[in-house]
Amino acid sequence: MTATLETTSQAPAPSTAPPAWTIEESENLYRIEGWGDPYFSINAAGHVTVSPQGDHGGSLDLYELVEGLRKRNIGLPLLLRFSDILADRINRINAAFARGIARYKYPNSYRGVYPIKCNQHRHIVEALVRYGKPYYFGLEAGSKPELMIALAMLEPAESPDMEANQSLLICNGYKDREYIETALLARRLGHRPIIVVEQVSEVTLAIEISQALGIKPILGVRAKLSTQGVGRWGISTGDRAKFGLTIPEMLAVVNQLKAVEMLDCLQLLHFHIGSQISSISVIKEAMTEASQIYVQLAKLGANMQYLDVGGGLGVDYDGSKTNFYASKNYNIQNYVNDVISAVQEACEAATVPCPTLISESGRAIASHQSVLIFDVLATNDIPQQLPEPQSEKEHLIIRNLWETWEMISAENYQEAYHDAVQFKEEAISLFNFGYLGLKERARAEQLYWACCSKILDICRQQAYVPDDLEDLELSMSSIYYVNMSVFQSAPDSWAIDQLFPIMPIHRLDEEPTQRGILADITCDSDGKIDRFIDLRDVKSVLELHPLRQLPPAANRDHPPVFEPYYLGMFLMGAYQEIMGNLHNLFGDINVVHIQMTPKGYQIEHLVKGDTIAEVLSYVQYDAEDLLENMRCYTEKALEDDRMSLEESQLLLENYERSLLHYTYLKN
């Protein structure tokens, strides 16, 4: 007989381990649902995914995509462009206008145009023309070079009878004779260019050229509205705005056209109240004023057909859905409904036919399709190790810092901070007068940072942080050195404090325990990013993960090597690429166009970034001349026995190879 031992089951002891970090916490932290919907999200692996077709297609794992590109020897930093997002943006704007027109029974149509200045790169313009063709989506040119692009990229109508259904070409910007002649002659090809008058003198020129060529122009006038914009571009409106005509100037244009029996050529009213309009109330006010100007021009006898509401449709960079300058408190449908209702109300009240509506929403179309990916090269962290116990032999100032560190608590942390600052300053003063040695100063600084670290941990638990401790988070933050140039790839971040969403594209199922700012690889103190999106205003540090060190190699004298850590800067498709500069001669980066396929994705286009030789040629250096100079210098060094033949060959090989390489660093 076998005896059995009965046991009493006991509940497991409660775990003391902190709860695991979840991807939902990363979603909330980086606000990806706010700014990324419907294109960006986080998958179960903790990687950022992109859904280029929005709600209507599959998704790609950004981390796996970047790893695949690196295996193809496409180095970082790189810009990913998703042309399917461009198609989706055009579809959404046109669908919103279709819904608005149906809702209000608006008796005319919508024709969108893309302002080329937003991003002039060929593959983007080609894609927009292709995706916009079903909607008769046109282009807007703000300069003579952009006019050259538009005329060659838009397909003209095959016959004059089809011209009415042709995509529009809006001709903005300052114009000379050649500009106006080219635009007018394009009508013979089947294009439908509308020359928008920015200055009264342009009307005189347009009349003269029209009469000489025997081609009637389609003219528009750009109005300087009194409605004041908001945000960085609020000064785009008003009497002293850079572009457009005042009301007296518009009347002068009308009279001038009437005098030569060409008033029927005036068919469009255009206005622009600035880029990135964050408040819907400003749009409503502008639409009310512009609609009244439109109907009054029609009453004066102008053959009004079009109302161009310009750009301004905002992008929610911080995901807060507020009227903060990096956000917007409306969606596309709200915007469209306010445009349509204001125009319809004014026209019906004045018994004027409702116009074809035009918008120039460049930022809202192009921003989402580009993602900048860059890697972290190294970090500079505040020392976090616990200080060694004090010795009675140590200097009084060091003993004071030690006692301060020991006594820090939630009850006295604010007072302790000021004590630590005072003792540190005294230690530096004593060092400067020779009363402390280098080791003692190092010990004092270690204790000071230990005090700050302990105080910061307490601050993070408080509902309110005292004003004198607000900067402590930034002072204690790490510096993450990233393989990019702010001046080349994110110039608005540096020049006008534009906020872009930035976050790791992997490890999002881990808690980001570091707080850091980003420093680029240019030799410029402005080459950094220390302003990041937040639900409330702006935060000065970004939550990041510590770098993971790879196992040491056989030769332990080598510096530590870390796993790749990739960050993404999102909503980068508008203005950044074309406005980048060559600070420190960091050139254009690699650009990869990705298109979705039934089996995943394909690389539609690869635009290789600049090599060092190419960048040097931009500043009038010839790579062959430089190489020849180096050869001569090495020959002289050989002759003087200052270097060996092997050393000279290694130097020349490295020099020549570097000229052919990417301007950025290898990691």
Side-chain angles (χ1 to χ4, degrees):
M1 182 175 179
T2 304
T4 60
L5 180 65
E6 292 186 3
T7 60
T8 303
S9 62
Q10 295 181 350
S15 172
T16 58
W21 185 262
T22 66
I23 61 171
E24 288 77 17
E25 288 173 292
S26 284
E27 288 172 345
N28 292 332
L29 176 62
Y30 298 110
R31 305 196 51 73
I32 191 169
E33 289 185 351
W35 56 260
D37 185 58
Y39 305 113
F40 301 102
S41 58
I42 303 173
N43 63 17
H47 299 169
V48 173
T49 62
V50 56
S51 301
Q53 296 167 342
D55 306 319
H56 310 297
S59 63
L60 300 173
D61 185 311
L62 266 187
Y63 175 77
E64 293 179 359
L65 175 58
V66 171
E67 287 286 276
L69 294 174
R70 291 192 70 172
K71 290 175 182 176
R72 294 175 170 89
N73 292 320
I74 302 172
L76 272 62
L78 58 86
L79 191 73
L80 299 175
R81 291 184 187 150
F82 298 95
S83 58
D84 292 297
I85 292 182
L86 289 175
D88 189 70
R89 299 305 293 174
I90 289 178
N91 292 343
R92 286 175 185 271
I93 288 178
N94 279 276
F97 270 97
R99 285 191 294 268
I101 287 170
R103 173 182 174 179
Y104 292 99
K105 297 182 174 57
Y106 187 78
N108 212 318
S109 61
Y110 166 71
R111 295 288 181 86
V113 297
Y114 170 72
I116 298 175
K117 70 176 182 181
C118 193
N119 194 322
Q120 296 100 329
H121 286 83
R122 176 171 64 89
H123 296 120
I124 289 178
V125 176
E126 282 180 341
L128 285 165
V129 170
R130 182 171 71 252
Y131 294 134
K133 194 170 183 179
Y135 304 105
Y136 303 110
F137 208 79
L139 296 174
E140 181 266 346
S143 67
K144 214 186 312 187
E146 291 177 357
L147 179 62
M148 303 302 105
I149 293 173
L151 290 174
M153 300 301 291
L154 280 178
E155 185 179 345
E158 295 179 1
S159 69
D161 295 337
M162 297 173 59
E163 191 179 277
N165 292 325
Q166 182 63 15
S167 300
L168 298 176
L169 170 53
I170 304 297
C171 300
N172 284 329
Y174 294 117
K175 306 166 192 70
D176 59 11
R177 176 177 294 274
E178 191 174 59
Y179 184 121
I180 295 175
E181 280 182 348
T182 303
L184 276 178
L185 287 166
R187 293 207 65 185
R188 300 289 198 209
L189 299 177
H191 283 301
R192 193 165 182 80
I194 302 178
I195 300 171
V196 180
V197 174
E198 306 274 2
Q199 300 178 90
V200 175
S201 60
E202 292 175 357
V203 179
T204 305
L205 198 55
I207 292 171
E208 179 188 327
I209 295 170
S210 169
Q211 291 172 341
L213 295 176
I215 303 173
K216 290 193 70 171
I218 305 175
L219 299 176
V221 287
R222 177 168 176 170
K224 289 183 179 179
L225 299 187
S226 63
T227 302
Q228 188 66 44
V230 292
R232 172 65 177 75
W233 294 274
I235 58 173
S236 297
T237 53
D239 291 340
R240 304 309 298 162
K242 178 180 178 182
F243 292 106
L245 305 177
T246 62
I247 298 299
E249 288 172 331
M250 274 191 277
L251 289 175
V253 168
V254 169
N255 292 332
Q256 196 170 352
L257 290 171
K258 187 184 294 185
V260 293
E261 298 182 348
M262 289 179 61
L263 190 53
D264 60 323
C265 296
L266 181 56
Q267 298 183 19
L268 176 142
L269 173 68
H270 175 277
F271 72 90
H272 181 65
I273 53 171
S275 184
Q276 182 63 19
I277 301 300
S278 58
S279 175
I280 191 67
S281 63
V282 174
I283 294 170
K284 290 180 178 181
E285 187 178 349
M287 286 308 310
T288 299
E289 183 181 0
S291 298
Q292 286 301 318
I293 295 173
Y294 179 89
V295 299
Q296 292 301 321
L297 287 173
K299 287 183 174 183
L300 290 173
N303 182 27
M304 301 302 291
Q305 304 289 323
Y306 305 97
L307 177 54
D308 185 344
V309 301
L313 178 56
V315 170
D316 196 352
Y317 289 99
D318 71 0
S320 65
K321 296 177 173 55
T322 65
N323 63 355
F324 184 58
Y325 73 90
S327 184
K328 59 185 176 73
N329 62 2
Y330 58 93
N331 59 30
I332 294 177
Q333 195 63 59
N334 300 147
Y335 170 83
V336 167
N337 290 348
D338 284 343
V339 168
I340 292 174
S341 60
V343 176
Q344 184 169 12
E345 182 179 344
C347 289
E348 288 181 351
T351 62
V352 169
C354 290
T356 298
L357 298 172
I358 302 170
S359 72
E360 303 174 6
S361 302
R363 185 186 296 269
I365 289 174
S367 291
H368 299 77
Q369 52 94 27
S370 290
V371 182
L372 176 66
I373 304 292
F374 48 93
D375 49 330
V376 175
L377 302 171
T379 65
N380 184 306
D381 306 315
I382 297 296
Q384 298 292 330
Q385 69 268 25
L386 292 177
E388 297 177 3
Q390 69 160 328
S391 165
E392 291 300 324
K393 296 180 180 180
E394 288 187 296
H395 194 284
L396 175 62
I397 200 70
I398 294 176
R399 297 203 305 271
N400 287 341
L401 277 164
W402 170 268
E403 292 171 5
T404 301
W405 177 77
E406 274 195 316
M407 299 298 292
I408 292 171
S409 68
E411 286 70 37
N412 70 353
Y413 69 96
Q414 189 174 4
E415 178 187 2
Y417 173 71
H418 292 289
D419 289 343
V421 170
Q422 179 184 339
F423 292 143
K424 179 198 173 190
E425 291 174 351
E426 290 178 8
I428 293 173
S429 180
L430 288 168
F431 174 80
N432 290 340
F433 284 105
Y435 297 111
L436 281 185
L438 200 62
K439 290 182 179 179
E440 288 81 9
R441 174 166 173 176
R443 171 84 161 139
E445 290 189 13
Q446 182 199 29
L447 284 164
Y448 168 76
W449 289 118
C451 291
C452 290
S453 180
K454 199 170 182 179
I455 293 166
L456 182 59
D457 287 340
I458 296 173
C459 286
R460 288 173 177 167
Q461 308 304 317
Q462 307 303 310
Y464 168 76
V465 177
D467 292 346
D468 47 354
L469 294 176
E470 279 187 345
D471 293 334
L472 187 58
E473 187 79 72
L474 181 59
S475 301
M476 294 292 294
S477 65
S478 299
I479 301 174
Y480 276 59
Y481 298 100
V482 294
N483 191 20
M484 63 166 285
S485 163
V486 168
F487 307 98
Q488 172 60 237
S489 297
D492 276 358
S493 175
W494 158 69
I496 59 172
D497 291 332
Q498 174 66 52
L499 291 174
F500 296 101
I502 303 173
M503 65 181 292
I505 65 167
H506 59 131
R507 296 178 62 181
L508 295 167
D509 54 351
E510 305 172 30
E511 182 177 3
T513 55
Q514 298 289 93
R515 305 291 186 273
I517 65 170
L518 307 182
D520 71 4
I521 55 175
T522 65
C523 293
D524 195 306
S525 58
D526 282 346
K528 65 181 179 181
I529 300 176
D530 56 6
R531 301 173 74 257
F532 305 94
I533 66 167
D534 197 15
L535 178 60
R536 298 178 180 86
D537 202 14
V538 178
K539 60 186 178 184
S540 58
V541 293
L542 181 66
E543 293 82 0
L544 296 163
H545 303 88
L547 298 187
R548 288 175 177 159
Q549 187 172 339
L550 292 172
N555 185 354
R556 295 180 181 270
D557 293 334
H558 286 178
V561 179
F562 298 97
E563 286 183 6
Y565 187 51
Y566 303 134
L567 303 180
M569 188 181 295
F570 296 81
L571 311 185
M572 295 293 294
Y575 300 105
Q576 300 316 289
E577 297 173 62
I578 206 64
M579 296 181 72
N581 64 48
L582 291 175
H583 194 2
N584 272 154
L585 298 184
F586 287 107
D588 288 342
I589 64 175
N590 292 324
V591 179
V592 185
H593 292 249
I594 303 295
Q595 189 168 42
M596 296 291 287
T597 69
K599 294 183 179 180
Y601 72 90
Q602 67 176 7
I603 297 178
E604 189 178 18
H605 305 289
L606 170 61
V607 184
K608 295 289 286 183
D610 289 328
T611 64
I612 292 176
E614 288 170 334
V615 167
L616 292 177
S617 71
Y618 301 156
V619 284
Q620 294 80 52
Y621 292 96
D622 183 271
E624 291 298 326
D625 290 345
L626 296 174
L627 188 58
E628 178 61 16
N629 287 351
M630 289 296 295
R631 189 193 65 77
C632 293
Y633 296 153
T634 57
E635 288 296 325
K636 184 68 168 66
L638 282 170
E639 183 181 334
D640 296 341
D641 290 330
R642 287 182 280 115
M643 97 187 307
S644 68
L645 181 61
E646 291 76 14
E647 289 172 333
S648 70
Q649 290 309 297
L650 179 59
L651 174 59
L652 289 174
E653 287 170 7
N654 282 344
Y655 192 91
E656 186 170 13
R657 187 165 50 245
S658 294
L659 288 171
L660 301 176
H661 281 176
Y662 204 21
T663 59
Y664 296 87
L665 304 184
K666 294 181 180 179
N667 191 12

